[in-house]
Every structure is written in C-alpha cells, then in structure tokens.
Amino acid sequence: MHAPAPSAAVSAVRFAGVVRHFGSVKAVDGVDLSIAPGEFFAMLGPSGSGKTTCLRLIAGFEQPDGGHIEIFGETVEGLPPYRRPVNTVFQDYALFPHLSVGENVAYGLKVRGVPRAEREKLAREALALVKLAGLEARRPAQLSGGQRQRVALARALVVRPKVLLLDEPLGALDLKLREEMQVELKGLQRALGLSFVFVTHDQGEALSMADRVAVFNEGRIVQVGPPEEVYERPATRFVAAFVGAANVIEPDMAAVLGAVPRLYSLRPEKIALLAHAAPAPAGAAVVEAVVVDVSYQGPVRRLAVRTPGATLVAAVPAAQHAPAPGETVRLAIPLAALVPMEGEPKGGGA
Amino acid sequence: MSLVTLDLPAPRDGFARRLSDALMRRASLIVLLLLAPPLLWLGIVYLGSLLVFLGQAIFSIDEFSGTIVREPTTATLLELFRPANFDILMRTVGVATAVTLLCALIAFPIAYYAARYAGPRAKAGFYLAVMMPLWSSYLVKVYGWKLLLAREGAISWFAGRLGLDGALEAWLALPLVGGPSLSVSYTGMVLTFTYLWLPFMILPVQAALERVPASLIEAAGDLGASPGYTFRSVILPLAMPGVVAGAVFTFSLTLGDYIVPQIIGTSALVLGQAVYTLQGTAGNIPLAAAFSLVPILVMALFLTLARRTGAFDAM
C-alpha cells in the first residue's frame, strides 16, 4: 500500500463532474464531492439515486464515463479495484464460503504475500477488533448475520485501506443489532481515524453516524452538509420529504400563516397542539384543523391533519391528550420554524 | 364505497376434503404416499435386479460344462487381476480419465462464458447449442464421427489443407494413441466420447459458476487479487463441485459404454464390451458381474478422493 501522511489540503476522495450512465439511464449525472481524510461521510438517497454507483466508482467496480476521480490526490480513472487503496464492506458481505473466517480475513494479506505466521496474527487482531476473537476456524455459513458483517469489516480493515467503503452494510440486520453496529462503527472510525464512506437509504442511520451527509436524487447530489443542517434546513422539497418527512408549506399557505409567501419546510415536531381555550403563543400562527389519522409511535403521536390550505403531519408528545379522527383541533405553528427552500412552488415531488 | 357482507355457505364437506384434512394434520403421511411407488420401483425392480446380478460375482463357472457353480468363491473376482482382464480395466479407466479431462478443459471456458458474460439471448442460444446434440440419435452421432475420423474423412482432409498432414501422421505413428487411422485409434475413441458427453460436463459447471455471486469476485479484486489470482482462489474452488458432478457423468458414461469402442477404436476390448461379450456369447455371468463391480468401485474411489481434496467444501 502507499505511504500515509496526506496533507490536510488533500481530499481523501474527490469527484469532479463525474458521470456514469448505463445505456440511456444516467446513474450518476455530474457529481462533485470532496471527502476529507478521517471524515465519516454518508451518501443518502432512495434506491436508484446513484449513491451506490458513486461508491462503486470509488472502489473501481465501475469506471466513469466522464469527469475526474482522485483518491488522496492520485487520479484513479482506469485503475482496476486491485490497484486502489480503498476497501469495501459489501451489502451481502461477500464472504468466501469455501474459506474459514480466519482465511477470509487473511485473504487480502495472502494476496500481498504476507508470510503465514504474520497474516494469521494480523487476522486474529482484526477479528479481536470487531469482537470475534476465537472464531477463526468457523465457516461463514456457521455465523449469524451480525457476525458475518463483522468478519467483512475485519477483512476490509486488516489490509489498512486509506478509505473504507460501506455499501448499506447494516441493511440485513435487525433493528437492535443495527443500532449496536451503528455505535460500534462510529467508534471504530474515530479510533482508526479513517475516512468512511457509508451508503444508506436510512436517513436515521445517516444522521446519527455521519460527520457529513450527501443527499442523492436522480444521479445528483441535492444537498451536502452536517446532519443538523440537512435535517434542520433542507435545501429542496426532495430533501425535506426524504430526510425526516417534513411538511412542505406552499406559498399560499405561508401567506395564510402570515409569513412571506414562498416555499418552506416545516418539521412535524415543531407543530404544537393547543388546548381549546389556550391563548396563541407569541410568534406562532394558530390554525384550526381536522384530524384525519392518528398513529401512536412510542414517544410521539403522529397526527395527519387537514387545514383549509394543506394537509400537514404533526408529531406531538404521546403524553398529551390524543384527539380522535374527525375531531377539530387548534395547532400552533411557530413562524421561526418555517425554513425557506429553493425550488418551484408546486408540481414535481409530492 | 361500502363493503357488502354476504352469508356464504360453508364449502361442502366431501370425502376428498376429509382426506385433505387428514393429510394436512399428518405431513409424514403425504410424503409416504408420494414416495411409495417410486421407492418400490427403485428398491425392488432397479436395485434388486442390480444386486442379484452383482451377487453372481461370488460364483464361478465350470470350465468344462460352462455352467454356473453356485458356491461362494473369490476365484472370479481374482480373475480380474489376470493380465488380459487387468489390461481391459486399465485401458478403460485410462480412456475415461482422458475423456473426463478433455471434457473439463473444453467445457470450462464455454460454461464460464455462459455463466458470466452471456446476455439473455446469447444464453438461450447457448442452451440450445448444448442440448441439441442430445436430441439426436446416439448411433447417428457415433457413425458421423466415424466418417469424420476416417482416413478419407473431413479431419484428414482439413489437416491436409492446413499442411498439417505430417503432424497427423506423426501422431498416428505414436505407440498407444495412434493407429492406422483416427477412426481405429484411441485418439478417435476419446474424441468421440468427448463430443458425446460434453453437455454433461458443461451444464453442471455452468450451474456451479452461475451460483458464484458477482460480489465475491468483486470482493477478491477489492482485497487486491488480480483477475488470475481471483480465478485460482475463488472461482475455481467454487466451481469444483460442478466439475466433479460433470466428471461423474463423463467418467461413468465412458466406463460403461460398449458401442463407441466397437465402432471407433482398436480391436482391444474395453470394460463395457467385456461385460457384453461375457454375459452374452461367452455365457460367463459371474465374470461379467465381477467386471460390472469395477465401475462402481472406481466411482466410489473417485468421489472419496474428490471429497478429500475439498471439492465439496463450497456446497
């Protein structure tokens, strides 16, 4: 592998106008991005949005049809995967079924001609790092999904990649395991100081783990930023809807609320349910709405309500009195919670 | 919209429904019903007759009267090791090994192409091309090859046009594989067998290769393996169960065949011909039975060895 110590100015991964199409489908349609060394970078988007193709372009499984890709300042277009200083944790883990767990982890070392004793020691250490010490002799088929996931991680980390690529690695795990792995992955990334590029369609996963999130749609990045920014200040209608399912306030509705008529997003949890006689809070617009649907979600209750101008979703504390469908309620919408967005008022994404 | 509720009558309770109820409650009963006829056929008619025949191997034949002496003896089995008989066995195993290796060598690239590169249309064409020879008569194909291999046949003619007739002559002059012409040589016999059994090698190898997920090949490259190393360390080991399955076909089909060696090949007998003559004209059923045991033992040995080398590890 190459010598480490990149200067701070060099990006771990840099895309400049990268294009990749399959036939007439533009899977990646002019992507620019820059991932810093040591950064946990999440690529978030629905399936078919180009995030996985971007990951495969970094790994070298795909070659760009246009644009430029650099890894730590070195141009990698035309380089096959086995000549790139990056490693991948695959969605299906891709463990070799005919090799033991230890041999799987040591595979990349064997390719590099590391002597047997040395590679067995390194494989043991890597397995200990992912808390699988002692399972060297097992076959992948004898492991649980979570354990396989860890073997795949150890196998990629043991060859000391400069960037670790993770392709929806937690998708096949059950909820509890997924949350555990999220914490562990984040801890591992911090401890190793490695750049992680993490592809997911789960916004919760992206928000909770990443230093920065890139939201993909139709082959392009629509917004990049820290999780708080992407969540609190969605740039477009698509980001608002995809990340945390925000309400979109059209300009005419905004006018009803007393705001400047333009396009806004509004997080469901910012809407408060008022008691019937309660006075309007300062700086908030009060609207009457009919409850259409109520769903209990543990800490909060999600209300689908119809106001004269729009259908909104509100998330109110579950401890509060639950209105019944059909009931008329009063909602307080703080004007400061309206986040202006770019984009056309109507049409497109619904 | 409103949902209309109807008072539907319950389904009528006939004998068939009650039988279904009984079968639903006891799954083993349905397995028994399904398997009894084929198992009876296989157990009694098929295995039974085979065992009765093979059992003859412990009897011997009276050399003067030609009648079977029904007393257990190892004499017949030991007769297999007489030079003349042992030659037949070695010759047959040699031909079967050559056919199997040649089939594997030819089949692998074809299967690899079909499994990894062929699009849907090309794959349909592939299946058609591989299966079509199996639809035509075995004898027609063998006689076809006799004509191709003959001294005046297409292969000699083609070799002549390419200026390779010298090489062909030199090959035919070689002691074991050669002969007066390709159509009466072991070379011709092996070529014909290879043609006949090739589909039985291609299909299992292709199925095995198709089961290798593309992500495994990507993972090997990702970890630094060159395509050649990936092939040796991932693709080949995972395709081995398919190769072994194909080899079981090519090897056992060759071991048992007695028609091809009769039409194409030398006057020296192979195992199938020996069994055919012994049970027919010679009337020596015990020795025929002893000969018949050999392919079974050889295949058992082959599978044991394949298992030892880890060919089934990926299954």
Side-chain angles (χ1 to χ4, degrees), chain A residues 55 58-59 86-90 163-167 195 197, chain B residues 222:
Chain A
L55 194 83
I58 303 174
V86 300
N87 287 102
T88 308
V89 176
F90 290 82
V163 179
L164 186 72
L165 310 174
L166 302 109
D167 184 8
S195 305
V197 182
Chain B
D222 188 72

Side-chain angles (χ1 to χ4, degrees), chain A residues 56 61 81-82 86-88 90 92 94-98 107-108 110-112 155, chain B residues 215-216 218-227 229-230 233-234 237-238 313-314:
Chain A
R56 295 172 60 81
F61 305 135
Y82 54 92
V86 300
N87 287 102
T88 308
F90 290 82
D92 64 354
L95 300 180
F96 304 122
H98 58 299
Y107 185 88
K110 197 175 175 187
V111 170
R112 287 164 177 76
R155 185 178 68 174
Chain B
S215 67
L216 288 190
E218 285 182 349
D222 188 72
L223 292 165
S226 63
Y229 192 92
T230 303
S233 64
V234 177
L238 292 178
D313 282 5

Side-chain angles (χ1 to χ4, degrees), chain A residues 147-342:
Chain A
Q147 289 174 322
R148 276 180 228 179
Q149 157 78 71
R150 286 157 191 266
V151 175
L153 195 60
R155 185 178 68 174
L157 287 174
V158 78
V159 291
R160 308 270 183 270
K162 287 180 160 183
V163 179
L164 186 72
L165 310 174
L166 302 109
D167 184 8
E168 307 221 7
L170 309 181
L173 305 181
D174 59 46
L175 184 64
K176 189 168 152 15
L177 207 53
R178 198 155 65 215
E179 285 169 350
E180 269 175 40
M181 278 308 286
Q182 283 175 14
V183 175
E184 247 176 75
L185 271 179
K186 185 67 194 163
L188 209 55
Q189 187 262 340
R190 237 184 261 122
L192 299 171
L194 261 180
S195 305
F196 275 31
V197 182
F198 188 99
V199 161
T200 181
H201 62 258
D202 181 334
Q203 44 105 6
E205 210 164 88
L207 295 179
S208 67
M209 299 166 80
D211 297 322
R212 277 196 305 151
V213 178
V215 184
F216 278 73
N217 189 33
E218 295 178 340
R220 293 166 185 271
I221 294 180
V222 283
Q223 189 174 1
V224 195
E228 299 81 4
E229 189 183 303
V230 172
Y231 185 80
E232 299 286 347
R233 314 201 67 80
T236 68
R237 184 190 287 273
F238 172 80
V239 179
F242 190 74
V243 182
N247 293 296
V248 174
I249 306 292
E250 305 291 342
D252 40 355
M253 177 69 187
V256 170
L257 295 175
V260 180
R262 61 170 298 176
L263 197 64
Y264 296 96
S265 72
L266 173 64
R267 290 289 160 197
E269 62 274 19
K270 305 274 182 175
I271 302 177
L273 187 61
L274 288 182
H276 272 288
V286 174
V287 288
E288 290 218 329
V290 178
V291 177
V292 179
D293 186 50
V294 181
S295 70
Y296 173 70
Q297 295 183 336
V300 296
R301 227 182 280 277
R302 285 184 95 82
L303 311 179
V305 296
R306 195 159 46 225
T307 70
T311 300
L312 300 176
V313 175
V316 300
Q320 221 174 331
H321 158 77
E327 206 173 304
T328 304
V329 292
R330 290 172 72 224
L331 301 173
I333 300 174
L335 293 181
L338 294 178
V339 179
M341 293 192 299
E342 309 158 11

